[in-house]
Amino acid sequence: LVQSRVVRRAPGERSYHIFYQLCSGASPLHRKKLLLRDANYYNYLKQSSCLRIDGVDDAKRFSSLLGALDIVQISGENQMELFSMLAVVLWLGNISFSVIDNENHVEVDSNEGLANAAKLLGCSVPQLVIALSTRKIQAGKENIVQRLTLTQAIDARDALAKSIYAHLFDWIVEQINHSLGTGRQRTRRSISILDIYGFESFNKNGFEQFCINYANERLQQHFNRHLFKLEQE
């Protein structure tokens, strides 16, 4: 659920640090391959008017991240694929739409965001246009293609960006677990992480935030019960 932060945040908040680190710390060769621009070029990053944190060197932290990925045995090729998908997320946020009729249906604007996102995804521009501006509905044995409205198209674009980020996160966890699983036979070491964030209330709270708060409270209760109550018994 917290992936909603990828596409929308409150003023003064940053998105996930990796996006700013990538934009600041990628080498010239990586920037060329990933079609990268500075962080203030991307709508997903600049919308909250917070691109930097005082005392935090994003470029230096990106260098540390590369070292960490090497340690957990993620190959250079896989690292490039990982960063390519992060760049896709950024470019998706720069894709815009134009209303073409009285029913608020849209077409995808032909711009840099569309072209770069398609190239990094490995699909054609027309394929991405169809995915972002239409949907298929099965009626009996027939498939009916419907154009999306402006709101629906924006939601589809944002849903794709969030889905890519969520799958990347799952993939990284899988790679780390695989690496630790191999090493544990020799070292018997493992890493255990508990990350429970507190209740948050913003000026504007959506359904996703409600679910996040509910899940956090339930996790906290579950943790307290197992760590304290059951152990005491």
Side-chain angles (χ1 to χ4, degrees), residues 196-208:
I196 300 178
Y197 202 79
F199 189 93
E200 289 186 291
S201 180
F202 302 106
N203 291 330
K204 183 178 181 181
N205 296 281
F207 179 70
E208 286 180 323

Side-chain angles (χ1 to χ4, degrees), residues 91-127:
W91 283 117
L92 284 173
N94 282 31
I95 293 177
S96 56
F97 306 92
S98 295
V99 176
I100 58 174
D101 58 30
N102 293 332
E103 295 182 353
N104 210 31
H105 293 141
V106 299
E107 64 180 9
V108 183
D109 295 331
S110 180
N111 62 16
E112 185 182 21
L114 177 65
N116 288 344
K119 184 175 181 179
L120 291 167
L121 279 169
C123 67
S124 68
V125 169
Q127 286 174 322

Side-chain angles (χ1 to χ4, degrees), residues 6-20:
V6 172
V7 301
R8 195 169 295 108
R9 293 169 309 285
E13 285 191 328
R14 291 217 310 181
S15 182
Y16 290 101
H17 298 308
I18 181 57
F19 293 116
Y20 308 92

Side-chain angles (χ1 to χ4, degrees):
L1 285 169
V2 188
Q3 63 193 268
S4 60
R5 184 179 295 272
V6 172
V7 301
R8 195 169 295 108
R9 293 169 309 285
E13 285 191 328
R14 291 217 310 181
S15 182
Y16 290 101
H17 298 308
I18 181 57
F19 293 116
Y20 308 92
Q21 293 171 4
L22 180 64
C23 291
S24 298
S27 68
L29 179 60
H30 284 171
R31 291 180 70 88
K32 184 177 181 180
K33 287 184 177 180
L34 301 175
L35 310 173
L36 273 179
R37 299 291 190 91
D38 292 336
N40 60 8
Y41 192 81
Y42 297 107
N43 293 332
Y44 279 160
L45 300 184
K46 66 183 182 182
Q47 61 171 279
S48 59
S49 302
C50 182
L51 296 173
R52 293 178 178 82
I53 300 176
D54 292 339
V56 174
D57 187 334
D58 288 317
K60 186 175 181 180
R61 292 198 172 189
F62 183 73
S63 178
S64 298
L65 172 67
L66 293 178
L69 292 175
D70 289 337
I71 289 173
V72 295
Q73 302 173 17
I74 296 180
S75 67
E77 181 181 355
N78 283 341
Q79 289 181 34
M80 277 301 298
E81 292 177 351
L82 167 67
F83 297 141
S84 292
M85 291 302 99
L86 289 171
V88 167
V89 171
L90 294 177
W91 283 117
L92 284 173
N94 282 31
I95 293 177
S96 56
F97 306 92
S98 295
V99 176
I100 58 174
D101 58 30
N102 293 332
E103 295 182 353
N104 210 31
H105 293 141
V106 299
E107 64 180 9
V108 183
D109 295 331
S110 180
N111 62 16
E112 185 182 21
L114 177 65
N116 288 344
K119 184 175 181 179
L120 291 167
L121 279 169
C123 67
S124 68
V125 169
Q127 286 174 322
L128 185 55
V129 166
I130 291 173
L132 295 178
S133 60
T134 64
R135 66 177 175 182
K136 283 185 179 180
I137 297 177
Q138 188 169 359
K141 295 182 179 180
E142 295 184 0
N143 288 324
I144 300 174
V145 178
Q146 288 187 339
R147 281 191 173 275
L148 299 182
T149 64
L150 180 59
T151 300
Q152 290 171 337
I154 292 173
D155 287 344
R157 178 200 66 192
D158 291 349
L160 177 58
K162 291 189 290 185
S163 179
I164 290 173
Y165 187 84
H167 280 81
L168 281 178
F169 187 89
D170 292 341
W171 179 82
I172 291 173
V173 170
E174 183 180 339
Q175 295 299 309
I176 293 174
N177 285 340
H178 177 74
S179 176
L180 291 175
T182 301
R184 192 181 301 122
Q185 297 175 4
R186 300 191 300 270
T187 65
R188 303 190 64 80
R189 293 177 180 174
S190 63
I191 298 174
S192 300
I193 299 174
L194 175 68
D195 182 10
I196 300 178
Y197 202 79
F199 189 93
E200 289 186 291
S201 180
F202 302 106
N203 291 330
K204 183 178 181 181
N205 296 281
F207 179 70
E208 286 180 323
Q209 187 60 46
F210 168 80
C211 291
I212 291 169
N213 287 342
Y214 177 77
N216 284 335
E217 292 301 315
R218 293 295 295 171
L219 281 170
Q220 185 68 60
Q221 291 175 23
H222 179 80
F223 174 73
N224 289 342
R225 179 172 183 269
H226 280 266
L227 187 63
F228 299 114
K229 292 182 180 179
L230 295 182
E231 286 296 322
Q232 287 173 350
E233 290 174 2

